[in-house]
Amino acid sequence: MSYSCARRRNVRYDELHNELIQLDWPHERSYGPVFNCNGELIDFCIDDTACKNVLIDSNLFKCDGFPAIGHHDTECNHSGIIIKNNTFDGSASSDGISRGYIIFMPEVSGVSIINNTFISPEKTGAVNPAIIFTNTNDGELICENNRFTGVFSDKITSKE
């Protein structure tokens, strides 16, 4: 997966509920319809497949009050996710609540967050964790050589 820049444009505030990159599994009654960058409908295959071996590398995420990368489903075992050489710029908090720039539920494993830059505004209006990873098993999260500029309540937390 490769993007040069990810941001929301011309989206109403009440539509801002998801991550810029949302890792989820397509299953019955899940989200949709899905469109490509040209606005064309994508054939959305409901196959109950978790995301595995995902590389998110060298992107600029312009955050606007919601996470840049994460997922919602607590039943899906995503694994092998590498997030490296990215810049996360802007606020990950909205209405006094922050879900962090990167957020993963307990079932996610094998995540590496390496050599990224997190730039938070000096004032966020909420607690402002950079990374939320709720799988507390040893070795499931590797965080190395990340840079944090601005105000953060936590750089890495295991509590949501």
Side-chain angles (χ1 to χ4, degrees):
M1 182 177 303
S2 179
Y3 298 95
S4 59
C5 180
R7 75 160 78 190
R8 293 181 177 88
R9 293 185 185 174
N10 302 320
V11 179
R12 292 191 333 258
Y13 175 78
D14 60 350
E15 294 174 341
L16 299 177
H17 299 291
N18 295 320
E19 295 77 9
L20 294 171
I21 295 179
Q22 181 177 340
L23 303 176
D24 259 324
W25 58 319
H27 59 96
E28 197 65 41
R29 292 182 304 281
S30 64
Y31 56 91
V34 179
F35 300 92
N36 67 16
C37 294
N38 296 323
E40 300 160 335
L41 185 64
I42 296 172
D43 187 20
F44 185 63
C45 181
I46 299 173
D47 63 2
D48 290 334
T49 302
C51 297
K52 296 189 185 313
N53 304 319
V54 175
L55 172 63
I56 301 171
D57 186 6
S58 302
N59 300 288
L60 169 62
F61 293 95
K62 299 297 279 184
C63 299
D64 58 5
F66 290 86
I69 301 170
H71 78 112
H72 298 220
D73 204 312
T74 58
E75 299 175 13
C76 193
N77 299 321
H78 302 305
S79 64
I81 299 165
I82 299 171
I83 301 168
K84 67 178 188 172
N85 304 318
N86 298 287
T87 299
F88 300 86
D89 184 18
S91 177
S93 67
S94 176
D95 285 338
I97 299 169
S98 178
R99 291 176 44 217
Y101 294 85
I102 299 172
I103 180 169
F104 288 114
M105 298 292 135
E107 293 75 15
V108 174
S109 62
V111 174
S112 297
I113 302 173
I114 302 169
N115 200 38
N116 297 286
T117 300
F118 297 85
I119 304 168
S120 170
E122 292 299 320
K123 197 172 192 179
T124 63
V127 295
N128 195 43
I131 300 165
I132 300 173
F133 190 79
T134 59
N135 182 337
T136 57
N137 295 329
D138 288 340
E140 296 299 344
L141 173 65
I142 296 170
C143 278
E144 297 175 343
N145 302 322
N146 294 296
R147 293 164 302 286
F148 301 89
T149 302
V151 177
F152 294 92
S153 55
D154 290 294
K155 293 178 181 171
I156 304 168
T157 184
S158 61
K159 297 178 182 177
E160 184 177 2

